[in-house]
Amino acid sequence: MRSLQNLRYLIMGLVIAVLIIQFRTELFSWNNNDIDVANTNETEEYTAISLPNFQEAVQEIHDRGLSLDSDLQTMYGITELKGISYKPSTGECIIFGLCDKSKHPMDINDFVVAIKETFAGEVPGVTIDPVDPGNFGGIQQVKFFGQYIGKSQTGYVLYDCDYHMKMLAGGKIPVAVPEFRSFYERIEQEYKSRLNSCNGDLSPHEDANRFWFYPKEPKFVRNGIMITTRDYGVRLLTERQMANKAKDKIKSLKGKKNKQAEEFSEEFTQRYEEIAKVYPRYQRLRSIFNLATISKLMYHERIDLKNVDYFLRKYSIPWYETPEKVDGICVSGNLSHRTNNSAYGECVHQFALSGGVSINVRISKSSFFKDNSKILTKLHERIYSARPSANAIAWKFKFYRLL
């Protein structure tokens, strides 16, 4: 009898050990570190939107064959979403954010594209690559990732920002931000510093750098079913490649770094807000990344589909013209200098640009921090106490400035 009991204890111990191993990520990856949630010395005005009521109002107008009013089209003027509040008892999800009149408000079509792509398991994006792999400076093809982003205004914004960034990088248009140098200026300076060692053979291939807009790793603060965004945004990454014209192939130079490309991308990321003030198209791009982050958060939290079922199944995204092919961006620096082969010669130093946008928002247990201050509990109460009625679509409320 005792041996059977010991055997049962042994089996139970093995089962528990297996479960701990299987779910160790979920058990131990939660961030228990204390983190600041808000500045309690300052307050801001926020706008909350009830998703079920919001999409019901949109559907009613569409069913009547009418155009959306400005409030619905611009999501009540919200320029940055700060989080979600979810009630499992009713299934209702409320999103809330800030309205900054100096910035372009969000667009409902960007929101629906983000929702559709996220819940379809897609990673939306765009890539602009040479039609002829051996000719980066020739015609390049525009390709979209995802089921819904192609031929939408959202897709056009991604393409436009990507191509515009490469024009900035290549020095084709002015950066117009104080003391910010283009990639072309950086690499030209590097070439000039190396002229004495150049034998006229520095460019048998095109040195091609791919720049990618990619989301920053998101961070959230949670207290039960109240979640706020702590960090998100757009960053610019590099990928160096070499176009081998002789073999008509593109070779990824893994492990190879281009100092000037990395410096340009890092400074572009750090000074993104400054650049966006000069070129508002990047504010729209950041808004799209913000919507994708919130959409992924709702998907991760498995919100009730009744909050977005009309957007997912019946909302038709307006068609928008997006280019299929564009001219490649290739910059050549013709620098006359002495070489070992001749007294004076003209050596062509050349590089080309390609790349794209990938809104691959990744959320895991380690993306969340606990709200040990209980401020989010007060925020949850404030959102619902400020609500004028159960049928309200959107309403204003004031609260501490969320970090």
Side-chain angles (χ1 to χ4, degrees):
M1 180 69 68
R2 179 174 296 178
S3 61
L4 290 175
Q5 187 175 17
N6 290 337
L7 180 60
R8 283 199 297 269
Y9 288 150
L10 177 61
I11 293 174
M12 290 174 61
L14 290 173
V15 170
I16 292 172
V18 170
L19 289 174
I20 289 176
I21 293 173
Q22 184 176 357
F23 297 104
R24 62 187 181 278
T25 300
E26 285 78 2
L27 288 170
F28 301 113
S29 63
W30 177 271
N31 282 306
N32 289 303
N33 297 331
D34 193 15
I35 188 170
D36 292 331
V37 180
N39 183 343
T40 56
N41 295 319
E42 298 179 21
T43 60
E44 288 187 305
E45 185 175 67
Y46 298 86
T47 296
I49 297 177
S50 166
L51 278 182
N53 295 350
F54 180 59
Q55 72 165 357
E56 182 180 349
V58 172
Q59 181 176 9
E60 181 181 346
I61 291 176
H62 280 171
D63 288 346
R64 292 162 56 190
L66 303 175
S67 298
L68 299 179
D69 60 32
S70 61
D71 283 340
L72 295 175
Q73 186 67 47
T74 65
M75 300 182 68
Y76 290 86
I78 290 179
T79 53
E80 180 184 3
L81 287 171
K82 297 295 292 184
I84 66 173
S85 181
Y86 182 52
K87 269 193 172 182
S89 59
T90 62
E92 181 186 37
C93 181
I94 292 175
I95 58 176
F96 60 93
L98 297 168
C99 298
D100 185 343
K101 293 183 179 180
S102 67
K103 297 180 180 179
H104 193 282
M106 290 183 163
D107 188 279
I108 188 174
N109 293 315
D110 292 341
F111 177 61
V112 175
V113 168
I115 289 289
K116 284 179 177 288
E117 297 288 15
T118 299
F119 281 74
E122 298 284 351
V123 177
V126 65
T127 181
I128 306 176
D129 294 314
V131 175
D132 175 3
N135 184 14
F136 269 85
I139 300 299
Q140 295 195 354
Q141 188 168 6
V142 181
K143 298 179 181 178
F144 291 95
F145 310 130
Q147 297 182 29
Y148 306 95
I149 202 164
K151 298 303 178 184
S152 71
Q153 191 174 49
T154 310
Y156 181 83
V157 172
L158 266 58
Y159 147 76
D160 178 59
C161 288
D162 180 49
Y163 197 74
H164 186 271
M165 177 272 298
K166 293 179 178 64
M167 295 286 282
L168 288 175
K172 299 290 188 179
I173 54 178
V175 178
V177 174
E179 299 182 358
F180 183 76
R181 294 180 300 149
S182 69
F183 174 50
Y184 173 74
E185 291 173 307
R186 296 167 194 264
I187 205 165
E188 183 182 44
Q189 182 179 3
E190 174 67 14
Y191 276 144
K192 287 181 178 179
S193 69
R194 294 165 51 197
L195 290 185
N196 291 334
S197 62
C198 176
N199 294 319
D201 59 354
L202 288 183
S203 54
H205 304 133
E206 288 181 355
D207 190 1
N209 286 272
R210 291 167 59 86
F211 291 96
W212 287 87
F213 282 120
Y214 201 79
K216 292 182 180 178
E217 183 180 352
K219 298 295 181 186
F220 306 95
V221 185
R222 175 203 291 278
N223 189 334
I225 41 82
M226 186 80 228
I227 305 174
T228 60
T229 57
R230 185 63 172 79
D231 190 25
Y232 78 95
V234 185
R235 57 180 173 171
L236 187 62
L237 302 180
T238 66
E239 176 188 353
R240 193 180 179 198
Q241 294 185 319
M242 190 72 78
N244 190 328
K245 291 183 177 180
K247 296 183 179 180
D248 198 32
K249 291 181 179 179
I250 297 176
K251 179 182 177 182
S252 293
L253 301 178
K254 295 181 179 179
K256 300 285 186 178
K257 296 183 178 180
N258 182 298
K259 177 184 177 182
Q260 293 73 35
E262 290 188 348
E263 288 178 349
F264 173 78
S265 63
E266 288 174 4
E267 188 169 358
F268 195 103
T269 299
Q270 294 169 359
R271 304 182 68 179
Y272 189 91
E273 292 300 321
E274 290 181 68
I275 297 171
K277 288 181 179 179
V278 178
Y279 299 107
R281 53 172 41 89
Y282 296 110
Q283 293 180 7
R284 178 79 177 269
L285 182 66
R286 188 177 188 273
S287 173
I288 291 171
F289 273 59
N290 182 207
L291 289 166
T293 301
I294 293 297
S295 298
K296 192 63 175 284
L297 175 62
M298 292 191 292
Y299 180 79
H300 181 270
E301 294 299 303
R302 300 179 182 179
I303 66 163
D304 196 319
L305 288 180
K306 76 175 187 179
N307 289 281
V308 292
D309 56 352
Y310 172 70
F311 294 141
L312 288 174
R313 297 185 177 91
K314 296 182 179 180
Y315 189 101
S316 179
I317 300 169
W319 184 90
Y320 198 89
E321 179 66 37
T322 54
E324 296 181 358
K325 294 180 180 179
V326 295
D327 292 331
I329 301 174
C330 184
V331 181
S332 299
N334 301 307
L335 305 176
S336 296
H337 60 90
R338 185 185 299 273
T339 70
N340 292 338
N341 299 325
S342 62
Y344 290 93
E346 187 174 59
C347 183
V348 178
H349 302 278
Q350 189 175 58
F351 65 92
L353 305 172
S354 65
V357 181
S358 177
I359 315 181
N360 188 10
V361 180
R362 297 182 179 183
I363 298 178
S364 64
K365 292 286 184 180
S366 62
S367 302
F368 295 87
F369 291 80
K370 283 187 177 181
D371 171 31
N372 296 319
S373 66
K374 307 301 180 185
I375 286 179
L376 294 190
T377 300
K378 297 178 181 178
L379 174 58
H380 180 80
E381 294 171 353
R382 183 68 189 121
I383 290 175
Y384 285 92
S385 65
R387 188 175 192 170
S389 70
N391 296 325
I393 301 172
W395 60 97
K396 303 282 189 180
F397 68 95
K398 288 188 176 182
F399 195 71
Y400 302 135
R401 184 174 67 83
L402 297 171
L403 301 177

